[in-house]
Amino acid sequence: MSNAYDLLRSSARDLIAATGIAPATSIQLAEPKQRELADLAFAVFTIAKEQGQPAPAVAVRIADAIQTTGTLFRSVEAAGGFVNFKVDTGALATQLYADIAAAPDAFGHDPSLGAGQTIIVEYSSPNIAKKLHVGSLRTTVIGHSLYEIHKALGYNVIGDNHLGDWGTQFGYLLAAIEDSPTPPWEDAEPVASMMRMYAEFYQASEEDPDKKTRARAWFRKLEEGDVWARSIWQKLVDISMTEFDTIYERLGISFDTTLGESWFEPMLGPLVDDAIAKGVATIEESGAVSVHFDDKYPSCLLRKTDGATLYQTRDAATCIHRWNTYAPTRNVYVVGAEQRLHFQQVFEFVRRMGYTEIADCSVHVKFGMVTGANGERFKTRKGNVIFADEILDEAVRRATEKIMEQVESGRSEVSQPDDIVRVAEAIGLGAVIYFDLHQGPERNIAFDWEKILSFDGNTGVYLQYMYARCCNIVRKAGGVPDNVDSSVLTTDDERALVVQLSRITGAVRDAGARYAPSAIANWTFELAKDFARFYDRCPVLGADDPAVRDARVKLCDAVATGIKSGLGLLGIAAPDRM
Ligand code: ARG
């Protein structure tokens, strides 16, 4: 596949190889931090050493032997032990515009990389009868972005929402509902009510062993298919899903498969028996079944004395089911770092059961905790634990305030109430999503409302604002001009912008390889900053020369495409007016 990114690198490599001074296999290209020096650089130290020559002399010989006429490069210079390439802005821009025209909604994507391969991205996976919390929001947002990134890399991606819809907690809830005069679904906030009922009953059961026995009995009945237990459980699932779906819809997320833990229940008995037969699991004196991992990990249970299975058992069955169904190249779990040991045990158990392929390609993408700005527990204004819907609402409320300020001071492009609502939603959600994704998933996040909604800085709204500005320029220019001559783009600011645009393909590949949406966030932020610098120093609509004006308008349009593509891979909307 020929895109600007690959062409630039293959062209530099070919030019170097053609000198005969460096063998093609030894040519590694780097993107120098000091961008005024070079757009691509080749460090000659290794080959100079092999040839027993001083590096600066080798660099000079290579640079002198390269002719850039008719290439994507404007100049090649030696500096110390480096051969520095600077791009020809016009030539690279022309290639970029061809890339964009070929796939306007897929700029920077590389569908060849994952072609023919399946990857499972399991994310969100909330617990039924509990509200989505800050951690749920993280897995949802990170997972959604990884989903989009892998789609952009051409994989057949299966987004899997592995609902926590099974386990003894449902016994407690059933017992609580049996006792209660009003069921949770008669409450205006049914899921919150389920949480409360569970918590109260659980607490009471700590002092009342009878309650515990009843709760266990109810879970057993549920497992055995008791009609009442099943019907109430189904109601809990349906009501919770309705609430979750509201949030998913708001975030523009849908899943390809939503099999809860309960779905795997029929596979667990045979799995445990098989594990015993294979000698992977041991029956303890108590009758419980466990797996011992020698010194590698602590042991874990597959079945309790009373016959109940565990979270681990269900995850192992899920993992094997995924292998049998999809034979994926990768099986990715976006789950909090605190479940590290759990996944280590599950993957190791699955491996010992003989499913080495899925064990090898299973990855736990761990994410850190979320706290309030002060590093303490993240709370609502009233001081309660904050849930996902409240975070989104608060972000949108604050975004609305900001837009209203803009509207009142005449600095906004939107004024109709519907538009304000739509843009505020995009900014509020974008702020929350970007704040999460611009840092690596493993980082802990301190949630600072002021920071996340700042108009200047590394924020979602800054990027959205730059996008809208590009769109505004193109609108004012009366659209993108035809037949632009990009050779008139000669400033360093224009060159930097074009080079940064070309790097999108590298960012998308890197994000996929490292499961790091932050690579996309960083690329988009750098692009927006380059655009801001360019816009500050290079008049666009006010350019004296009409050819320069046209070329710059076209460049602004490409920047808009780039920012929108980056934001899209992060799961963030880009309104074209703000
Ligand atoms: N439902 C679990 C929780 O909320 C997370 C599930 C993670 N995924 C998995 N395959 N275990 O803690």
Side-chain angles (χ1 to χ4, degrees), residues 191-212:
V191 181
S193 167
M194 293 172 199
M195 282 177 84
R196 208 164 38 239
M197 283 175 81
Y198 168 79
E200 281 168 12
F201 192 90
Y202 185 85
Q203 195 120 46
S205 78
E206 293 282 290
E207 274 137 46
D208 183 349
D210 208 42
K211 282 198 158 65
K212 270 213 150 70

Side-chain angles (χ1 to χ4, degrees), residues 129-202:
K130 284 191 179 170
K131 283 178 74 70
L132 297 190
H133 48 84
V134 285
S136 321
L137 201 53
R138 287 212 77 184
T139 158
T140 305
V141 159
I142 297 167
H144 180 217
S145 179
L146 291 178
Y147 181 89
E148 295 297 334
I149 289 165
H150 285 94
K151 274 220 139 108
L153 292 171
Y155 289 92
N156 168 36
V157 191
I158 309 289
D160 188 345
N161 192 0
H162 185 74
L163 301 171
D165 63 355
W166 211 244
T168 36
Q169 70 271 28
F170 288 95
Y172 285 83
L173 207 43
L174 288 171
I177 291 171
E178 187 187 29
D179 287 356
S180 162
T182 46
W185 44 89
E186 281 176 19
D187 197 292
E189 294 220 42
V191 181
S193 167
M194 293 172 199
M195 282 177 84
R196 208 164 38 239
M197 283 175 81
Y198 168 79
E200 281 168 12
F201 192 90
Y202 185 85

